[in-house]
Amino acid sequence: MKTIAIIPARMGSSRFPGKPLAKLLGRTMLEHVYKRVALSDALDATYIATCDEEIQQAAEAFGAPVIMTSDKHERASDRVAEAIAGMDAELIVMVQGDEPMTHPHMVDTAVAPFRTDPQLGCVNLVRRIENEADFYDANTIKVIKNQQGDALYMSRQPIPTLAKSGFASTSAYKQVCIIPFRRATLLYYTQLPATPLEQLESIDMLRLLEHNIRVKMVETEFNSQAVDTEADLARVSKLMESDPLLSSY
């Protein structure tokens, strides 16, 4: 299966304007994401999708191919769907541009289930939440799974409840924004009307769940920290200082 990665990025983040081009250990955050994703053996190509000329210029300067898209998209998934409209790839891996700790093996892990399940349309990586502060952080998307490992719900609120146990004894998971779609599923996503919970939570995957479309959750062994605020950027900078992957690019 031809597999490509698309990294959606825009300057207009409400929580951290200009976030993709914020400096992180001497490079823009977007460059870290692109270079690390492109190291995956599972990918045939990696692109950046944006509506901003500033991002286009920066991306092309560090060697990334860029696809320009509309500035009307509210959801990253819709931007990615526009970007792949003229491509023939069967699997499209959406990697958010604010995941600079992405490891290429995370991409490999996320696409692996498609090789054995021809009915599977979408996968999302998850990681156990180890920090109680992250559990209560609205920027951390929490995930509830069923017994088969598929998503039941995602929320920015702290779920599941801790009413009967403390955080240390609760299995809480966070979304890691490496999300492969089968091409048909991604294009179908764009045809579906936006849903109430998707809009309330501002979470792309809820559009699929509310339309009763399966999203398989796959746990990753790699820790990851998305950057939603300048404080997150400082935290990630410290976490990445000794990252051996840095020498690969």
Side-chain angles (χ1 to χ4, degrees):
M1 292 181 289
K2 184 175 181 180
T3 304
I4 63 171
I6 304 288
I7 303 168
R10 64 187 182 91
M11 296 294 286
S13 169
S14 59
R15 288 166 286 183
F16 189 171
K19 178 171 63 173
L21 302 186
K23 289 293 186 178
L24 174 62
L25 300 177
R27 302 172 187 257
T28 64
M29 182 167 63
L30 184 61
E31 181 176 358
H32 283 289
V33 178
Y34 172 78
K35 293 290 180 65
R36 295 164 78 94
V37 169
L39 289 171
S40 169
D41 292 332
L43 297 173
D44 294 291
T46 303
Y47 302 87
I48 290 171
T50 186
C51 58
D52 296 303
E53 290 185 4
E54 191 173 355
I55 289 177
Q56 178 189 24
Q57 293 170 3
E60 290 177 345
F62 60 72
V66 178
I67 303 169
M68 298 302 292
T69 62
S70 168
D71 62 359
K72 305 301 182 184
H73 298 303
E74 292 187 17
R75 298 281 174 257
S77 301
D78 289 314
R79 186 180 308 283
V80 171
E82 180 190 348
I84 60 96
M87 299 183 181
D88 61 356
E90 185 175 351
L91 288 184
I92 297 91
V93 185
M94 179 173 72
V95 183
Q96 295 284 26
D98 58 5
E99 292 276 0
M101 293 181 68
T102 294
H103 192 284
H105 289 334
M106 295 165 73
V107 178
D108 303 345
T109 298
V111 302
F114 290 93
R115 300 191 184 102
T116 57
D117 188 346
Q119 303 303 315
L120 185 59
C122 184
V123 165
N124 202 155
L125 289 187
V126 292
R127 167 80 180 183
R128 190 181 293 271
I129 299 175
E130 300 172 346
N131 185 320
E132 189 169 359
D134 289 341
F135 182 68
Y136 289 102
D137 187 346
N139 291 322
T140 300
I141 297 174
K142 274 67 70 174
V143 178
I144 300 296
K145 302 182 291 180
N146 66 16
Q147 292 296 306
Q148 290 71 46
D150 298 332
L152 284 173
Y153 192 62
M154 300 185 184
S155 179
R156 296 183 182 276
Q157 299 303 306
I159 56 174
T161 180
L162 301 184
K164 294 186 178 181
S165 63
F167 174 78
S169 59
T170 299
S171 294
Y173 292 88
K174 66 179 180 179
Q175 180 193 44
V176 178
C177 288
I178 298 178
I179 306 174
F181 293 88
R182 205 174 291 277
R183 179 187 182 84
T185 302
L186 178 58
L187 296 181
Y188 183 54
Y189 175 98
T190 66
Q191 299 171 15
L192 295 170
T195 53
L197 293 174
E198 170 202 352
Q199 294 176 315
L200 182 66
E201 297 270 15
S202 189
I203 299 174
D204 290 33
M205 293 295 98
L206 290 177
R207 187 186 304 181
L208 293 179
L209 296 184
E210 288 185 81
H211 285 285
N212 201 32
I213 297 171
R214 175 188 176 209
V215 178
K216 182 176 180 61
M217 312 308 293
V218 176
E219 190 168 356
T220 176
E221 63 182 294
F222 292 95
N223 195 14
S224 180
Q225 172 64 51
V227 174
D228 292 295
T229 66
E230 292 189 48
D232 290 337
L233 187 69
R235 178 181 176 185
V236 167
S237 180
K238 291 182 179 179
L239 290 170
M240 289 180 63
E241 280 178 345
S242 58
D243 188 337
L245 200 61
L246 292 173
S247 63
S248 301
Y249 60 93

